[in-house]
Amino acid sequence: MQTARTTEQWRELDAAHHLHPFTDPHSLNQQGARVITRGEGIHLWDSEGHKIIDGMAGLWCVNIGYGRKDLPEVARRQMEDLAYYNTFFKTTHPAVVELSHLLSEVAPEGFRHIFYTNSGSESVDTMMRMVRHFWAVQGKPEKKVLIGRWNGYHGSTIGGASLGGMTYMHEQGDLPIPGIEHVEQPWWYKYGKDMTPEEFGLAAARWVEDKILEVGPERVAAFVGEPIQGAGGVIIPPSTYWPEVERICRKYDVLLVADEVICGFGRTGEWFGQQTMGFHPDIFTTAKGLSSGYLPIGAVFVGDRVANVLVAGGDFNHGFTYSGHPVAAAVAHANVKALRDEGIVDRVKNETGPYMQERWRATFGNFDHVDDVRGVGLIQGFTLVRNKATHELFPEWGTAGTMCRDIFFENNLIMRACGDHIVAAPPLVITKAEIDEMLGVAGRCLERFEKVVREKGMAG
Ligand SMILES: *Cc1c(COP(=O)(O)O)cnc(C)c1O
């Protein structure tokens, strides 16, 4: 929406009336929010005409890039035909049928059923109710504990925030709710450096087993994890972790759930992160890349084992007014079809993903305060450290990260700080030349960052 206001007016009205998510209103309003007005490909423009490289694809979601002309056309036609109808009472509509059919085609084998939501958080809450229902209809209502991980992110609703392991979120609103347990994250750099990554992967999986035994397998409904932790700072588990977690879940008959809200729809070079990390969940949750953020929609993919029980299990008393919303479904369908038919996911796997990983390591590998340079596909990170030789982190977790993130932002590059992890997840349509451009800017920002670290005497 382009209204005839100045940037100052937008900032003033924003400060007066808009409460931002995950934001301290006071400090934001002192600075004034940056007003973003337009997007095209991997670029955004602000109201002052700056062209910005969006290294985060919005919030890890604009997989197909900004400014597509076909998606608004699909939305316009669907709104004209049928702007809204529900799917609660023995009705359906072509948009949701076509999307479900297409999603069953791109999903890993054994995922034929989809439940729709409007967001990742709703997908997670839906999954939580679904796994408990799954056990209850089989006469095991006490099998209801969900195990998540510290520093995992599963959204901001009461269920999702409880299952997630962000303690600063638990501190507000009396979370977590009962029936949630957490185990430590498979972060080798912090917890496993005295082992090989492969040994550590098995050790971290054993934390899951220990927790299942502590709670009692007869009480554990599911283990839930992101294939790669996104908001936690792009924590990529060692290759041994997920297959071992899967073995453990099977051993104790605990459902295995992947939260694919970030990893899904091509981010890691495969359609889903479970394929990259080599495991087979019973259920997985999605949102973000499903519509590339063009409209809000989420989907829970239900594997055959769970679907068979649900189909035979009577009413599942759950759903949203906008579950399978026709316009969102039509846009998601066009988005997923384009990701597939234009070879965008394939390109991440075979071309731009490998190129990004090579350039990412070459760009950041030699800085004094950058370590654990990592990534796969088009999701990557590194950690800012006080002393690389001794693997010492900065004493105040997050300060260096914010400093670094702000330098990027001042230079019209968006990358994100998760504590002192710096992460990037650009639109999947990024070209090799654009990767060079993005990392050229990022490298110069890091030089500047290290200069500030030295000047402030933060170096170890
Ligand atoms: C973003 C995210 C969510 C929450 O999605 P919303 O659409 O913000 O509700 C859940 N899980 C993961 C892994 C996410 O990254």
Side-chain angles (χ1 to χ4, degrees), residues 135 143 205-206 208-210 212-213 217-218 220 243-256 282 305:
W135 292 115
K143 201 166 163 69
R206 217 159 301 128
V208 178
E209 181 164 29
D210 292 347
I212 291 172
L213 291 171
E218 70 290 349
V220 180
E244 180 67 2
V245 167
E246 179 173 356
R247 189 189 67 75
I248 289 163
C249 287
R250 299 293 164 239
K251 179 174 174 191
Y252 297 104
D253 200 19
V254 165
L255 291 179
L256 178 56
D282 298 291
R305 178 183 178 193

Side-chain angles (χ1 to χ4, degrees), residues 59-60 118-122 124 153-156 226 230-231 259-262 285 287-288:
L59 277 179
W60 327 75
N118 306 289
S119 68
S121 302
E122 289 182 5
V124 168
Y153 188 76
H154 299 298
S156 197
E226 301 154 82
D259 186 348
E260 295 266 11
V261 171
I262 284 177
T285 49
K288 294 190 173 124

Side-chain angles (χ1 to χ4, degrees), residues 422-443:
I422 298 293
V423 302
L428 304 187
V429 294
I430 193 169
T431 63
K432 286 182 174 180
E434 287 170 334
I435 289 171
D436 289 341
E437 182 194 350
M438 171 176 155
L439 295 185
V441 177

